[in-house]
Amino acid sequence: MRILFGIQGTGNGHISRSRELVSRLREDGHEVEVVISGRKQDELKEVEMLEPLRVLKGMTLVTYKGKMNYIDTMFQLDLGRLMADVLTLDMSGIDLVVTDFEPVTSMAARLKGLPLVGFGHQYAFRYRIPVARGNIFERYTLLNFAPARYNAGLHWHHFDQPIFPPVIPRSLYEVADRQEVPGKILVYLPFEEPEDVEPFLEPFSDRQFYIYGKIDEEGDRGHLHFKGYSREGFLRDLQESQGVLCNAGFELPGEALHLGKKLLVRPLDGQIEQESNALGLEELGYGRSMHSLDSRVLSEWLEEEKVEPHAYSRTVDYIAEWIGAGDLDDIGRYVDAAWNDCGA
């Protein structure tokens, strides 16, 4: 089968989970072409294995100091360029389009009447799951940014809905026995400013914080270790950590739950997906949340006990099998099989 695979490039999580599914589809013999939008090509990291790929402008969301900036988001939107990319995207010979919340491939597939699969956490919101109140604009954007005919939604729990478990990088199955380092905490707060993160963590000198995301300069400053982007290094620090402090995205909390790391999340203000994720974590009892960099909450969380691993299944195996079978309406048995293998 010839598949066009669209990836939203604004977050590393989209690229991470799509990398896993693209690899599996290619292993199964499918010809997969990749489109990434929402980030400049020179800002994309470790995407070589996705080639051949094309990078388009698409649409992206602008943030500042842990909050959505809707005014700047609207100013950077180039509707003319967006529609030109949609209309000129070569779809000849394509049998199926998969979109990980990527709008150009979503619109082009619907325009051409091609089968369209939505893959990712955002597509779980089409089912009955915990959702923050938000506003009408936020809800509309979440459901209509890159809609699809068939939805392979992902979540940390199934909520009795046809939702798959999270996608976990293959390397976390292959070397999942790495020993934890006492007091080591992984920090990933890319929506916060460095000048806010450092003084927030500095008083807790009895812990070792390994900090990724938006940093001014790599290096060690006492118990604060500032790290440049490296997927391999990041996963190694994740496995060695006792807990994860991060924004309330989806992929990293899923990886932490898979390995049994305690979680403290800080949702991006005004972003309904992250606020819903924080709500879901607390309702499930899977982690804690804070809506500002709150030292009191951090202090309490650092003293909490470790949690048991969820040991999620190889979700991409079941999604690839579902896609390859050709009957996209028959999703339930693949979802059930994926959840039945969790904890194995």
Side-chain angles (χ1 to χ4, degrees):
M1 190 185 309
R2 191 173 173 204
I3 299 172
L4 182 64
F5 200 118
I7 305 172
Q8 173 59 246
T10 54
N12 290 325
H14 294 278
I15 294 173
S16 174
R17 68 186 177 214
S18 290
R19 184 189 291 121
E20 298 293 321
L21 182 54
V22 168
S23 293
R24 181 51 202 260
L25 289 169
R26 286 174 174 167
E27 288 172 6
D28 287 350
H30 301 292
E31 181 182 345
V32 184
E33 303 170 32
V34 175
V35 169
I36 301 179
S37 76
R39 190 187 296 189
K40 296 178 181 177
Q41 186 158 4
D42 60 2
E43 296 175 352
L44 294 170
K45 306 294 184 182
E46 300 181 6
V47 296
E48 293 79 12
M49 67 79 54
L50 291 171
E51 296 176 350
L53 63 84
R54 285 168 282 175
V55 179
L56 304 176
K57 183 175 182 180
M59 295 189 287
T60 190
L61 302 174
V62 180
T63 66
Y64 180 67
K65 284 189 172 288
K67 296 182 179 180
M68 280 297 306
N69 188 324
Y70 286 108
I71 294 176
D72 284 354
T73 295
M74 294 303 295
F75 273 121
Q76 65 81 39
L77 180 60
D78 187 344
L79 283 175
R81 172 71 176 277
L82 175 66
M83 294 311 301
D85 285 342
V86 170
L87 294 172
T88 59
L89 187 62
D90 184 8
M91 309 287 280
S92 57
I94 296 296
D95 300 302
L96 174 72
V97 178
V98 179
T99 178
D100 184 341
F101 212 53
E102 196 290 307
V104 176
T105 49
S106 170
M107 285 189 276
R110 287 180 286 136
L111 186 66
K112 298 290 186 179
L114 290 170
L116 175 61
V117 170
F119 163 67
H121 178 51
Q122 288 80 5
Y123 298 96
F125 287 89
R126 298 190 172 272
Y127 302 100
R128 293 189 300 277
I129 64 172
V131 180
R133 295 186 65 178
N135 58 46
I136 294 175
F137 176 76
E138 292 170 5
R139 287 173 175 263
Y140 180 85
T141 300
L142 181 62
L143 295 176
N144 295 281
F145 187 83
R149 167 67 178 84
Y150 305 98
N151 297 294
L154 310 172
H155 214 301
W156 308 308
H157 184 74
H158 53 71
F159 301 101
D160 295 320
Q161 303 294 310
I163 301 168
F164 285 100
V167 169
I168 306 300
R170 182 173 299 182
S171 61
L172 292 186
Y173 295 96
E174 295 172 347
V175 287
D177 57 349
R178 187 182 295 273
Q179 293 296 309
E180 290 186 353
V181 175
K184 183 170 183 174
I185 303 296
L186 178 67
V187 180
Y188 183 60
L189 295 168
F191 299 113
E192 308 292 341
E193 302 306 311
E195 62 268 24
D196 297 327
V197 173
E198 185 169 354
F200 172 58
L201 300 175
E202 200 279 330
F204 301 93
S205 57
D206 58 338
R207 300 299 200 280
Q208 299 293 317
F209 296 99
Y210 286 73
I211 305 163
Y212 287 82
K214 191 187 294 185
I215 62 173
D216 291 328
E217 184 179 349
E218 289 186 61
D220 300 328
R221 293 197 279 278
H223 62 294
L224 306 181
H225 310 278
F226 296 88
K227 313 286 284 187
Y229 181 81
S230 165
R231 184 63 178 163
E232 181 180 347
F234 184 86
L235 292 177
R236 180 180 62 250
D237 287 331
L238 170 62
Q239 291 173 78
E240 293 178 351
S241 71
Q242 293 189 315
V244 176
L245 166 60
C246 60
N247 287 118
F250 179 71
E251 264 60 44
L252 177 53
E255 293 163 4
L257 292 171
H258 172 72
L259 295 173
K261 311 296 182 181
K262 62 182 181 181
L263 267 172
L264 174 59
V265 301
R266 192 299 208 211
L268 176 62
D269 291 340
Q271 218 269 22
I272 190 172
E273 180 196 353
Q274 291 215 1
E275 291 177 345
S276 298
N277 289 346
L279 175 65
L281 276 174
E282 294 210 324
E283 285 191 4
L284 291 166
Y286 288 177
R288 294 188 61 174
S289 68
M290 57 183 177
H291 289 270
S292 65
L293 298 180
D294 190 322
S295 297
R296 178 188 60 81
V297 175
L298 175 59
S299 178
E300 293 174 354
W301 174 77
L302 287 171
E303 299 303 322
E304 291 182 2
E305 298 295 323
K306 66 175 297 181
V307 296
E308 291 298 315
H310 284 247
Y312 291 117
S313 63
R314 280 281 297 163
T315 296
V316 293
D317 292 350
Y318 298 96
I319 294 177
E321 184 180 352
W322 168 62
I323 289 173
D327 184 1
L328 295 175
D329 289 309
D330 181 23
I331 191 173
R333 64 191 182 99
Y334 299 96
V335 169
D336 291 344
W339 284 107
N340 287 338
D341 277 353
C342 290

